[in-house]
Amino acid sequence: MVDTLYPDSDGQPMAENTVQYDWIVYLVTNLKHLFAEQTAFVAGDLLWYPVQVERPPAPCQAPDAMVVLGRPAGDRAASPQEDRGSYKQWLEDNIPPQVVFEILSPSNTHREMAAKQLFYIIRTQFVVRTSVREWVDEIYSCSCKVADIASHQSKPAG
């Protein structure tokens, strides 16, 4: 059965070119490795629906990469009968992604990125970098900060 209210695809390709694709794979792979010992869901190019609606269109975005601390990794959502073909926030203890990444491609317009930024900024932390050097520096910096935050969150209070 096709879910017409919350489709699992936006019909857009994952990447526009091989450089963008390589960065998405590199980023998602390394984020999964970074959070392998944490309760964290890491995904790439997965539609995220932040709110449940009664009729279309449901607001959504498919970040190139996202990290959701506090949600288990894998293909299953809160219900074992439902594949995680998209991230439906209300089925995930209403936990939004804490960090999303968008990798700029040559065809991205200022208007498109502004719309994405508006969607993300009111829901999570938004990171945009335009050069490889900035990405490497930011990934390393974010990885250290997010790993530190995750280790503090996983420790019992007291």
Side-chain angles (χ1 to χ4, degrees):
M1 183 176 120
V2 174
D3 189 341
T4 57
L5 194 53
Y6 307 104
D8 289 341
S9 174
D10 59 5
Q12 299 296 311
M14 179 175 154
E16 183 176 297
N17 56 54
T18 57
V19 173
Q20 186 183 21
Y21 171 81
D22 288 344
W23 274 108
I24 294 169
V25 172
Y26 175 79
L27 185 58
V28 170
T29 301
N30 282 285
L31 287 167
K32 285 183 176 186
H33 178 71
L34 177 67
F35 293 107
E37 302 299 319
Q38 306 288 329
T39 301
F41 175 63
V42 175
D45 194 41
L46 186 72
L47 282 172
W48 163 34
Y49 293 96
V51 294
Q52 194 169 14
V53 297
E54 293 182 19
R55 60 185 172 278
C60 67
Q61 200 58 251
D64 289 329
M66 67 180 180
V67 177
V68 188
L69 299 174
R71 295 306 303 153
D75 298 328
R76 298 290 178 184
S79 167
Q81 294 80 24
E82 184 174 344
D83 287 336
R84 202 187 247 155
S86 59
Y87 189 82
K88 297 172 186 156
Q89 188 172 314
W90 62 95
L91 295 178
E92 306 278 358
D93 293 338
N94 210 32
I95 300 173
Q98 286 84 12
V99 181
V100 299
F101 296 85
E102 285 290 346
I103 299 170
L104 299 177
S105 63
S107 70
N108 287 128
T109 65
H110 290 291
R111 175 174 282 174
E112 175 188 8
M113 295 313 294
K116 287 183 180 191
Q117 184 174 9
L118 180 61
F119 181 92
Y120 295 138
I121 206 144
I122 59 175
R123 296 172 175 91
T124 190
Q125 179 180 341
F126 183 68
V127 178
V128 176
R129 294 295 173 255
T130 57
S131 74
V132 172
R133 182 75 253 157
E134 283 182 283
W135 267 104
V136 171
D137 291 345
E138 186 69 28
I139 291 167
Y140 178 76
S141 175
C142 283
S143 296
C144 294
K145 290 175 190 171
V146 173
D148 186 49
I149 290 167
S151 69
H152 290 332
Q153 287 181 344
S154 64
K155 293 179 184 175

